Amino acid sequence: MATNGNSGAVGNENINTDIVTLTRFLTEEQTKVPEATGDFTLLCHALQFSFKSIAYYIRRATLINLTGLAGSSNTTGDDQKKLDVIGNDVFIAAMKGSGKCRILVSEEEEEAIIFDEHPNARYAVVCDPIDGSSNLDAGVSVGTIFGIFKLPDDILGPGKSVTAKDILRPGTEMVAAGFTMYGASAQLVITMKNGGVNGFTLENSLGEFILTHPNMRLPTKRAIYSVNEGNSMYWDDWCNAYFHSLKHPGEGGKPYSARYIGSMVADAYRTLLYGGIFAYPADSKSPKGKLRILYECAPMAMLFENAGGLAVNSRMERLLSVQPEHIHDRSGVFLGSKDEVQKVIDTYNKHKK
């Protein structure tokens, strides 16, 4: 049988040899900043390793019985899973080992962790190591949410002390934010201050995050809403009116589709890709809201704004401008496509007149 010179598995496969890995992406971004020292890039490499580690443990979780309860609850009352503990430990070790993190806030830790052995480290990291962990046993996507702040020069250096108060800042002061979603594949979405939003996929055979979703942009509108309607009896009247209007648009209108996974990272990622709105309103049961400002609301708000969307709290204040009162402070959340969030704001203003 005749064969052409281009036969064989490799010959027929269209191989891309110019691959943008996260490492390459970060290095190229660093060269655009003349005053860059490389510290931020090294911190991101340490973060990247922790994401890869958690992705690996989650893939193996059901095989080696990591999804059961660890016998304790975390600071916010969720039943703590063995994987939560592992994810948290991986994060702490990675941040400590990077030498570039001065203070770490984790959902799993009541107090902020201060790395006094690195007095010159200029960055503060906030994270929810495994968000949505109550879904782990069902194989539902969970994720890591993170934000990075740069500390002011006057608190850096030997003999200077850093406390949790130094990190109680609005999201506008973050230098970077993102999340990793551990699903069928591990997806990492990251953004820098005033920058674009880029999505990477973990290629397991290479062990590298590859740029697969460059410059992600939200559609300005989409008829999809994502909210836990089981809480509707606790919602404010304006909030019930808003969601009622989506389901009952009136003569000739088409109702919105409901999509709710119950894992913030998974719901937010879908909203980021397809558009629509994700909401977790404050209500009479949780007057301040349920999601944590520092390491859930602010990083997601930064991602959504940088992708062309909007993010507000239950008082219609810009979510990124909200300053937490303590490291585990909470807020209501509405984030998504610009026009969809604007509808929430308009409904709120109409009812509050």
Side-chain angles (χ1 to χ4, degrees), residues 188-205:
L188 168 64
V189 180
I190 189 167
T191 191
M192 317 287 174
K193 189 170 187 172
N194 302 320
V197 177
N198 289 281
F200 298 78
T201 303
L202 183 60
E203 218 296 338
N204 289 320
S205 56

Side-chain angles (χ1 to χ4, degrees), residues 22 48 51-52 54-55 58-59 141-146 178-190 198-204 208-214 216 265-266 268-270 272-274 300 303:
L22 180 59
Q48 179 180 185
F51 302 148
K52 289 177 183 176
I54 294 169
I58 285 176
R59 278 202 311 276
S141 296
V142 296
T144 300
I145 309 171
F146 66 94
F179 64 80
T180 306
M181 186 181 80
Y182 312 104
S185 57
Q187 308 283 339
L188 168 64
V189 180
I190 189 167
N198 289 281
F200 298 78
T201 303
L202 183 60
E203 218 296 338
N204 289 320
E208 290 282 3
F209 279 105
I210 309 291
L211 181 64
T212 49
H213 297 74
M216 297 173 77
V265 165
Y269 185 57
R270 186 203 54 250
L272 200 54
L273 284 177
Y274 304 138
M300 285 298 186
L303 282 164

Side-chain angles (χ1 to χ4, degrees), residues 56-71 80-86 136-137:
Y56 168 73
Y57 287 123
I58 285 176
R59 278 202 311 276
R60 291 184 65 211
T62 46
L63 295 174
I64 54 175
N65 192 29
L66 285 174
T67 55
L69 298 180
Q80 201 170 21
K81 306 274 181 172
K82 291 179 189 173
L83 262 170
D84 284 6
V85 179
I86 292 166
L136 272 168
D137 288 335

Side-chain angles (χ1 to χ4, degrees), residues 333-344:
V333 178
F334 293 85
L335 47 80
S337 297
K338 213 169 195 172
D339 291 2
E340 304 304 339
V341 179
Q342 190 58 50
K343 273 186 196 170
V344 179

Side-chain angles (χ1 to χ4, degrees), residues 238 316 342 344-353:
W238 72 265
M316 300 302 113
Q342 190 58 50
V344 179
I345 298 167
D346 292 346
T347 305
Y348 177 88
N349 289 338
K350 198 169 93 182
H351 277 76
K352 293 293 175 182
K353 272 182 183 171

